[in-house]
Amino acid sequence: MSALANATVAQDHHGHDDHGHHHKETFITKYIFSQDHKMIAKQYLITGLIMGALGILMSVLFRIQIAWPEQSFAIFELLLGEKYAPDGVMNADAYLALVTIHGTIMVFFVLTAGLSGTFSNFLIPLQIGARDMASGFLNMVSYWIFFISSVIMISSLFVESGPASAGWTIYPPLSALPEAIPGSGMGMTLWLISMAFFIAQSLLGSLNYIVTVINLRTKGMSMTRLPLTIWALFVTAIIGVVSFPVLLSAALMLIMDRSFGTSFFLSDIYIKGEVLAHQGGSPVLFEHLFWFLGHPEVYIVILPAMGLVSEIMASNSRKPIFGYRAMVASILAIAFLSTIVWGHHMFVSGMNPFLGSVFTFTTLLIAIPSAVKAFNWITTLWKGNLQMNTGMLFSIGFVSTFITGGLTGIILGDSTLDINVHDTYFVIAHFHLVMGISALYGLFAGVYHWFPKMFGRMMNKNLGYVHFWVTAIGAYGVFFPMHFIGLAGLPRRYYTNTAFPYFDDLADTNVLITVFAIITAVVQLVFIYNFISSIFYGKRATQNPWRSNTLEWTTPVEHVHGNWPGEIPSVYRWSYDYSKMNIDETDYVIPGQDFVPQNVPLQKNEEELNH
Amino acid sequence: MTVFLIIIVIALLGITFWQMSKILKLSKSQSSEDPTIASDKDNKIQGYLMLAFLIVFNIFMLYNFWSYSKFYLPEAASAHGEDYDRLMFISIGLIMVVQVLTQFLLHYFSFKYKGEKGKKAFFYADNDKLEFIWTIIPVIVLAGLIIYGLFTWSEIMNVEEDEDTVVIELYAYQFGWKARYAGEDNTLGKANVRFIEGINTVGIDESDSYAMDDKITSELHLPVDKKVLFKLRSQDVLHSAYFPFFRAQMNVVPGMITQFGFTPTITSEEMRNSEYMVDKVTEINQIRKENSKELVANGEMALDPYEFEYYLLCNKICGISHYNMQMKIVVESEEDYKEWLAGQESFGETMAKQEENNKQ
């Protein structure tokens, strides 16, 4: 490796003039109330993984009920208890609660906080060349608010009347009236409080990320030289700031309706033999407010994954990402469009059909930047020198599921076609592939790729391969057949399908899906094992194991507060100079090395690109 | 079938663990090889696996289309349903072309360009022409789909009420449906949940002169080939009236009246005797017979044989019995429909009876 690459890492301790980072750290300040972005990222990751394990376990439980309805299983009795699984048969209360909390945990706690929380915290300072986040304190506070929010959500599983069970979209009046469903009592209150905390942490975090990216970029790191990861995380934070407050207002209004007798969302209701006093509100208003966040939310989930995948793919293809500017433009286009398409969740909600037309138009527009991104990823692979590390496999898997899931969006985004597949298993298949599985692949790719930077050790690749291939087959095995049972008109959130004999011939397919789901869930244990054992016993990482260009790989393997022991490196180029040849096309720019890190000044023998 | 699948799962799990332990052993014995970074050998193996995955995935998709396409609903039983199905098939066709093509490129490239030491990747950062092409092609295709979709949408949603339209109120509650027909005056009486009392279960305003001849039924009968307009009203929480066979759906929202209209074109009788449905019902009854054997062996009741009827489902989570909130729909000739309707008790008659009972 050339000396150039390591030029700025020269351990010049005299240059360590920034702040006094030498103060002694106790266990508490280092591991618990840490203000170091790297530690906070790890806290987010581990909390997210624990929540993810819970969310996946719940999905296995309700999948068992769907495949073998109303049959007795010892695992139900063990995990749900006598009240929710009398004689080992899961009851409808438990089923709806599991579906609801599975959705909530996976969307918010795993794929929002676990994914963007982890990688925004970890990568933003490291990749832009900053010592830490703009406000380390706020960063710490945001993690601990997230922690409180997780604890409240989990504790809602243990209340007398059961956790929230009105679906993760918590549409009132069902979510507002304990008379309508038991889960809308204490469980729903805790859900709303938990979400209020969650939104607070998301806003604190997002503001911090935005400020950091705008203000703390190192010398030479212009916006057009930012790695695509940072672009994606930056834009994600902006979408979060724009849309999360709207969910907070919806949650607050729902709290008011529930507890203080207001009527934002309630009107003309007769329940349990009584007419309620609420008059004049509309549940459709709630749907608008919810989806004004809810739709951008799916991009909050998928954009970070896109950013991570772009970076990992370029690095492992030993090629620049194809069409950098188009990639940035499509991130911005997706972000903008994401805020004006929410109505496609409401084509049959009773809103004016003309609005449906408008939302169909804007929704299908999103397919264009998405298609550009998919084509650019595929072209990035073309004529590459693909290093099949686990992160790379998950990145390829990401593009595959993103395409498969994204394409059915063309059907669901079309108001006409939505009429008959709305709220069926077709929708489940669509969004699980395009945002659930894809974002999880992004998360896994990111963990495998940046694990050496996070923990100073490597993960085992063979276990990674097993994890990837079983997951890849299992995920398609679960969600591809679901399209077809959706097209048969099978609604989602049905405790059992036996009430309609017409669905009897779908039962075998449902069993098949559950079998795939169990296999896929079990193989995640391989990941957990690999993750934990590698933290303690993994092979020690070298400084730049994937031979990448971005700045985080110029920091020492052992974490230091402030990231670089010496001066912060300056940046002279974009982060995608992989396999760049010198002017005479005789060798790489740096002879014998197929990558040029961002901190290497422009060489005499190379052509300057506009980056 | 179930047992068979469970055995497969267990076998697969066994193989997984066996393979894993083998891999672990292998990775330990060859200490010269880095267990953490992909070597040329890994690149080769994973590249071939990508190719294998491409083949398996394509076979799996084919298998799905081959054996699950029959799940697609039968021929649409409403006038607009034909348009709906055509648009659906065009969309699925287009999607599958793109799907097969892009998945092929993605996995084939992953195989073709698997890494080797000393191989040079092609430094290829930009090509405006290419990017223009794959921006403009989706634009054109989507423009076509959007325009087609929007025309169909406005045709379906803009239901104009005329004298001939049959207006029916669908009333949703936890957990069931009721239908209210307008009666002789062809106008539905006013209603609100505040009027619910005793046998006035859907809250009809008794003082409204249009109300007394309204007829409340627990089955939905529709005349074939006549435009029907549904006015949807909910008593408690959100529901969704889902008519899969008619390609129709609309949410039922407490506090407002939503609507959806369509023209049924195939009677229940015709649908029952269609080739599609005869096959389907035979298969379902076969399955029910099999399941009954097991039930009877456990001392439980056998399942009734199934006969096809149209049905209406609730498709918006509404509570514990959401999964069983259904209503039978009968599409019949106009004469049969009129005869059935004439046999139903009007709201006025029900109220009168009630009063008489009270007097006695």
Side-chain angles (χ1 to χ4, degrees), chain B residues 320-334:
Chain B
I320 297 311
S321 297
H322 168 54
Y323 66 94
N324 193 15
M325 180 170 159
Q326 49 178 307
M327 187 188 215
K328 179 173 154 188
I329 304 175
V330 178
V331 179
E332 57 202 351
S333 67
E334 199 164 351

Side-chain angles (χ1 to χ4, degrees), chain A residues 68 92-93 96 165-166 171-174 180 267-270 275-276 278-279 283 287 318-320 322-323 325-326 347-350 353 357 364 367-368 372 375-376 378-379 381-389 393 396 400 403-404 407 410-411 415-417 419-420 422-424 458-459 461-462 465-466 469 476 480-481 484 487-489 491 493-496 499-506 508-509 511-512 515 526 539 545 578-580 588 609, chain B residues 1-2 5 9 12 20 23 27 33-38 42-43 46 49-50 53 57 60-61 64 68 71-74 84 88 91-92 95 99 102-103 106-107 109-110 113-116 119-127 131 134-135 139 142 145-146 149-150 152-153 157 174 192-194 196 235-238 242 244-245 247-251 253-256 258 276 280 284 287-288 306 311 313-320 322-324 326:
Chain A
W68 300 284
D93 280 314
L96 293 179
S165 33
Y171 285 175
L174 187 61
S267 189
D268 294 326
I269 293 168
Y270 175 93
V275 176
L276 302 185
H278 300 280
Q279 186 64 36
E287 294 177 35
R318 315 309 296 160
K319 266 188 78 192
F322 182 77
R325 255 164 295 187
F347 287 140
V348 294
S349 66
S357 314
L364 294 194
I368 296 163
V372 168
F375 286 126
N376 283 2
I378 292 174
T379 314
L381 298 180
W382 181 66
K383 289 200 174 177
N385 182 20
L386 310 188
Q387 304 302 307
M388 295 297 202
N389 291 302
L393 293 183
I396 296 170
S400 176
I403 292 174
T404 311
L407 283 171
I410 292 174
I411 289 178
S415 51
T416 309
L417 296 179
I419 292 172
N420 218 45
H422 182 86
D423 266 348
T424 64
M458 308 290 288
M459 285 178 88
K461 67 179 174 190
N462 290 317
Y465 292 151
V466 173
W469 285 111
Y476 272 128
F480 204 81
F484 295 87
L487 288 172
R493 292 170 177 154
Y494 268 21
Y495 164 61
T496 164
F500 292 87
Y502 184 83
F503 297 135
D504 276 358
D505 61 344
L506 306 180
D508 276 352
T509 315
V511 171
L512 183 76
V515 170
V526 176
K539 187 175 167 245
Y578 292 105
S579 301
K580 190 181 180 189
Y588 297 119
L609 295 164
Chain B
M1 184 67 190
T2 314
L5 280 164
V9 180
L12 277 175
M20 256 169 50
I23 288 166
S27 65
E33 204 194 300
D34 190 329
T36 59
I37 295 178
D42 292 318
N43 290 340
Q46 299 305 319
L49 282 175
M50 281 287 169
F53 182 76
F57 183 42
F60 183 64
M61 286 198 291
N64 273 262
Y68 297 154
F71 293 160
Y72 192 83
L73 291 158
Y84 177 94
M88 180 62 106
S91 301
I92 292 180
I95 282 174
Q99 163 80 348
T102 47
Q103 299 287 351
L106 177 72
H107 291 96
F109 286 172
S110 306
Y113 301 107
K114 55 195 181 297
E116 273 166 54
K119 192 161 123 185
K120 278 189 178 133
F122 177 39
F123 187 87
Y124 190 55
D126 259 315
N127 184 330
E131 280 167 82
W134 61 55
T135 310
V139 169
L142 285 170
L145 277 182
I146 291 175
L150 289 185
T152 320
W153 171 250
M157 300 307 283
Q174 281 183 329
N192 186 285
V193 289
R194 283 174 175 73
I196 295 177
Q235 169 181 301
D236 34 42
V237 299
L238 284 174
Y242 182 30
F245 298 99
R247 314 294 188 261
Q249 176 163 214
M250 184 51 70
N251 286 4
V253 184
M256 68 189 267
T258 55
Y276 176 101
K280 176 130 184 152
I284 288 173
I287 295 169
R288 290 175 78 79
Y306 174 60
Y311 51 80
L313 319 87
C314 177
N315 196 15
K316 185 65 75 190
I317 180 171
C318 64
I320 297 311
H322 168 54
Y323 66 94
N324 193 15
Q326 49 178 307

